[in-house]
Amino acid sequence: MTPGLLGGVSLVAALILSVLGLVLSSLAFVLRDGRYLEAAKRLSALSLLAAVLSFGALEWAILTDDFSVSYVANHSSANNPLWVKLVTPWAALEGSILLWAMLQTAYTWLVSLRAGHSLDIWRAPVALGTLFAVQVFFFAVMVFVAHPFDAVPNPPPDGRGTNPLLQNHWMMAVHPVLMYLGFVGLSVPFAYAVAAMVARRYQSWIFETRWWTLVAWGFLTAAIFTGKWWSYEILGWGGYWAWDPVENASIIPWLLATAFLHTAQVQERKGLFKGWNFAFITLAFAATVFGTFLTRSGVIQSVHAFASGPVGAWFLLFLLAVMAGGLGLLARVSSEIREAGEVRWKSREGALLAGALFFGTFAFVVVLGTLWPLVVEIASGAKVSVGAPFFNQVSIPLGIFMLLLMGVGPVLPWRNSSAQVLRNLTAMLIALGAGTLLGFVLGLSLGVSLAIGLFAYNLTAIWLMVAQGVGERARALGISPAQALMELATSHKRRFGSHIVHFGVALAALTIAFSQTYRFTEQKTLQVGETWQTRGVEVRLLSIGAREESNRFAAVAPIEVRSTGREGWGSDGRYETRLNFYPQMGSPLATPVVKYSLYNDYYFVLMQFDQENGQWATLKIIVTPMVWWLWVAGLIIVLGTVYILWPSGARVSSRQLSPTAGD
């Protein structure tokens, strides 16, 4: 059997199994017959197997340079290095949809393991049926519209090659997979929400849904930070976020999932915000489909839009179906989930709702800014752009508001305020003022000074929460503060994990303020052997050469860097800047050299060079403070998420968490 035949047959099998799974799940719900549910669970495992076989067949075809398979002929090359071949399946439209579908079957299978246990018999058929419906969509798209295994009648001796942007940095082996894990992961909370609304069980769904949402949110966070890192190291502009439409598409579901994670806490404890939670989860999953539509429809141009093709209309219809299904169900049950209690704004639930509304508003603004050029072009034919200046002007005040809320939320008690809260708020405001004043004393700008103040404000809030808890426990049990801290950290993973996440977010905000405000850029043409003194370093161009590699040609310009002042400390060394020329790309692709340090990043880019005699080269240097800490902040946020998700020895039941739990 050839890879193409195996892949095609497996795809059709996966589609048929998904349709059967949807039918059996529906029968299990309508007939209330557990035998149909058990059969559907088995089909989830079989559909996963079929999807894995199909994906494996694609890898097989790529690794063996089988150019009789259309995807391999169009998106691979015999000259590609092994690691590029391994990641080529998600380098273009059909393969990336196949990866998405395979991950979808994996999530469906994992949910099926809980069906009949934590996922009760009333909700399990609907949740599984919803996930099978999503599978049907993706496999149908591949079978009927974007088939990766179409046969090539006259196979070429070599393929057209893989997208150079994918080949140019190893991070692209990681970033897309993390993004798909996050996007696909949000289908599970959506399925739970649909099941809760259909089965009219409005409380118990929130506990597991929050867990699944946190899993997807963690992957999305990791994907966003690795995407930033990839942009920083590969695109040659020295930045990490440009409010590119596809970048925006990745952050919209993240913002909506974040909103849900905040209001879900209130429903767990107080039984409030059911409607908000259903809406946020529906919109978060819809945003993943919206992002996929933007990425793969070709309606926008972006360096991140690695794939386009005839699937835009399909994804648009699927987006409308998700929105209509989720929000239609919410409208149907809205009269049954009206809030029984009053929300006090000067309380924990008030702060959490305000935070969720902030994230929802931010997501709406990003959607509006992303789509506005498209709307104007459709309406009037005029071309307009909404770029970074608009998003920066909007996001800065929103970010300040978020950091203020992030600090005050955890120190507020549920329902009412107290004298201790006033003392905590006073200490936090003092930290805010002292940090801001420190920035002014150091001669920093207003924005950076305020960022320092907000960082101190949030650090103080976290310290107060931890210190008070540790002090109370140590006094009550007569143990040392260190022992009390260890016991609390291991028994209250959610609380301590959220502190870690909040610390990472505050650190990220601080690094963004520094790196955006004090970024320095300069460019100079140097003769071979000439030195260039700038910004605390001396740069000498050593030579200009060429290098032939298996999949590309490279122009290399080795340089020697020596620090001449405190500012350039840590940048000494010999580096090689280069321009890579790929056969399938008209213009060269820069590979900057980044010398990281705790204080400054030195970023060297080869812009041009003497192609005839190799006597000169134009170099650009970008000096940006604190970027290294942005990656540290991302790692801290992800580790905090993992800490929350890490299983505890003593599991806290839903009823312990919420006296109002239950349906």
Side-chain angles (χ1 to χ4, degrees):
M1 180 176 282
T2 64
L5 182 59
L6 174 62
V9 170
S10 300
L11 269 187
V12 174
L15 174 60
I16 293 172
L17 290 166
S18 300
V19 171
L20 288 174
L22 174 59
V23 171
L24 290 171
S25 299
S26 303
L27 288 173
F29 176 75
V30 173
L31 303 177
R32 295 287 190 268
D33 191 331
R35 291 174 299 176
Y36 292 112
L37 178 62
E38 289 302 316
K41 289 165 64 176
R42 293 190 193 98
L43 287 181
S44 70
L46 291 175
S47 63
L48 170 61
L49 177 63
V52 169
L53 279 176
S54 188
F55 188 84
L58 187 59
E59 282 282 17
W60 178 17
I62 293 170
L63 290 173
T64 56
D65 300 323
D66 185 350
F67 299 114
S68 66
V69 175
S70 59
Y71 187 86
V72 185
N74 291 326
H75 305 293
S76 186
S77 168
N79 296 320
N80 281 350
L82 177 61
W83 80 269
V84 174
K85 290 185 178 182
L86 288 172
V87 304
T88 294
W90 52 88
L93 175 70
E94 299 88 346
S96 64
I97 295 178
L98 177 55
L99 174 63
W100 184 307
M102 183 179 70
L103 295 176
Q104 186 69 59
T105 59
Y107 274 110
T108 304
W109 175 69
L110 289 173
V111 169
S112 77
L113 298 179
R114 295 174 175 268
H117 302 284
S118 57
L119 190 59
D120 60 62
I121 190 65
W122 303 102
R123 295 179 294 130
V126 184
L128 269 183
T130 304
L131 292 172
F132 273 123
V134 176
Q135 285 185 200
V136 169
F137 167 75
F138 279 97
F139 286 115
V141 165
M142 281 185 287
V143 170
F144 298 112
V145 185
H147 198 285
F149 298 100
D150 279 341
V152 178
N154 299 303
D158 195 6
R160 294 177 183 173
T162 306
N163 187 327
L165 284 170
L166 190 73
Q167 300 182 49
N168 215 39
H169 197 277
W170 64 269
M171 186 67 78
M172 287 308 288
V174 178
H175 164 65
V177 178
L178 292 172
M179 186 62 73
Y180 294 143
L181 283 166
F183 270 30
V184 181
L186 284 176
S187 67
V188 178
F190 174 69
Y192 274 66
V194 170
M197 289 188 281
V198 170
R200 287 186 158 83
R201 300 174 74 83
Y202 306 123
Q203 182 62 25
S204 53
W205 76 289
I206 201 72
F207 306 109
E208 282 214 337
T209 302
R210 188 176 183 279
W211 188 90
W212 283 107
T213 307
L214 201 55
V215 171
W217 187 88
F219 281 124
L220 273 180
T221 303
I224 289 170
F225 274 92
T226 54
K228 286 172 185 273
W229 202 349
W230 172 82
S231 295
Y232 185 61
E233 289 213 344
I234 211 63
L235 295 182
W237 60 293
Y240 43 79
W241 191 266
W243 295 106
D244 176 274
V246 177
E247 291 174 344
N248 297 348
S250 71
I251 204 170
I252 294 166
W254 184 89
L255 289 168
L256 293 166
T258 308
F260 168 79
L261 289 172
H262 285 78
T263 48
Q265 296 180 52
V266 184
Q267 186 174 344
E268 282 182 340
R269 287 182 172 272
K270 303 295 179 183
L272 301 174
F273 304 159
K274 296 185 182 74
W276 285 108
N277 288 325
F278 285 129
F280 282 136
I281 280 299
T282 299
L283 293 175
F285 178 59
T288 68
V289 183
F290 170 71
T292 312
F293 165 72
L294 282 183
T295 313
R296 285 160 178 76
S297 64
V299 298
I300 59 166
Q301 297 299 316
S302 164
V303 295
H304 299 73
F306 291 114
S308 62
V311 299
W314 284 63
F315 274 94
L316 186 59
L317 288 174
F318 187 53
L319 171 64
L320 294 175
V322 169
M323 295 281 285
L327 298 182
L329 280 170
L330 179 56
R332 194 189 69 159
V333 303
S334 59
S335 61
E336 302 173 19
I337 56 174
R338 285 178 182 162
E339 310 296 4
E342 180 185 354
V343 178
R344 296 176 187 273
W345 287 101
K346 291 190 296 184
S347 64
R348 181 83 63 88
E349 60 262 41
L352 289 168
L353 179 59
L357 291 176
F358 155 78
F359 286 113
T361 304
F362 202 165
F364 174 74
V365 169
V366 177
V367 170
L368 190 65
T370 304
L371 289 182
W372 188 248
L374 192 61
V375 172
V376 171
E377 187 172 353
I378 292 172
S380 65
K383 289 189 177 297
V384 299
S385 63
V386 177
F390 164 77
F391 288 107
N392 289 338
Q393 285 183 3
V394 174
S395 63
I396 288 172
L398 286 175
I400 293 171
F401 180 64
M402 178 199 74
L403 290 168
L404 287 170
L405 266 181
M406 195 173 75
V408 76
V411 303
L412 290 175
W414 297 97
R415 291 294 185 192
N416 296 304
S417 59
S418 65
Q420 181 63 50
V421 172
L422 292 178
R423 286 195 291 273
N424 289 343
L425 289 176
T426 302
M428 292 160 57
L429 289 175
I430 291 173
L432 174 61
T436 307
L437 185 61
L438 175 64
F440 283 130
V441 170
L442 294 174
L444 301 174
S445 69
L446 170 63
V448 174
S449 298
L450 186 57
I452 294 173
L454 287 166
F455 181 71
Y457 165 88
N458 277 283
L459 214 58
T460 303
I462 294 170
W463 166 257
L464 289 171
M465 290 297 93
V466 174
Q468 287 168 10
V470 168
E472 289 171 4
R473 188 174 184 86
R475 285 192 297 274
L477 301 179
I479 57 178
S480 68
Q483 185 180 354
L485 175 62
M486 287 299 296
E487 290 181 2
L488 280 175
T490 51
S491 62
H492 293 74
K493 286 193 166 72
R494 277 179 55 171
R495 186 191 306 170
F496 276 74
S498 68
H499 290 331
I500 296 170
V501 170
H502 282 184
F503 173 72
V505 173
L507 180 60
L510 184 67
T511 63
I512 290 169
F514 267 93
S515 61
Q516 293 294 313
T517 305
Y518 296 112
R519 184 171 181 265
F520 168 82
T521 303
E522 195 172 11
Q523 186 170 310
K524 187 177 177 64
T525 299
L526 298 175
Q527 298 293 319
V528 173
E530 186 181 358
T531 59
W532 171 26
Q533 290 203 10
T534 180
R535 208 71 178 187
V537 295
E538 182 182 87
V539 181
R540 188 158 71 98
L541 178 63
L542 298 176
S543 64
I544 297 171
R547 188 173 300 156
E548 191 76 38
E549 298 177 346
S550 64
N551 59 332
R552 63 191 179 188
F553 170 81
V556 296
I559 57 175
E560 185 176 65
V561 178
R562 187 173 65 85
S563 61
T564 58
R566 189 175 60 179
E567 192 176 15
W569 180 83
S571 61
D572 298 62
R574 291 168 66 99
Y575 310 114
E576 184 180 279
T577 61
R578 56 191 290 165
L579 287 172
N580 292 320
F581 295 81
Y582 291 89
Q584 60 273 48
M585 197 169 191
S587 54
L589 199 57
T591 300
V593 170
V594 187
K595 179 61 179 175
Y596 292 100
S597 75
L598 300 182
Y599 176 54
N600 272 333
D601 276 8
Y602 276 81
Y603 190 100
F604 304 98
V605 191
L606 173 60
M607 304 297 293
Q608 300 178 56
F609 63 98
D610 182 358
Q611 298 187 29
E612 293 185 0
N613 303 312
Q615 293 300 307
W616 58 265
T618 301
L619 299 177
K620 182 162 73 175
I621 182 170
I622 302 172
V623 185
T624 315
M626 290 193 69
V627 175
W628 187 83
W629 290 100
L630 184 62
W631 318 131
V632 173
L635 180 63
I636 290 172
I637 296 171
V638 172
L639 289 177
T641 308
V642 172
Y643 189 76
I644 296 172
L645 292 169
W646 200 263
S648 297
R651 188 176 178 82
V652 180
S653 74
S654 60
R655 292 191 179 276
Q656 284 176 294
L657 285 170
S658 170
T660 59
D663 299 302

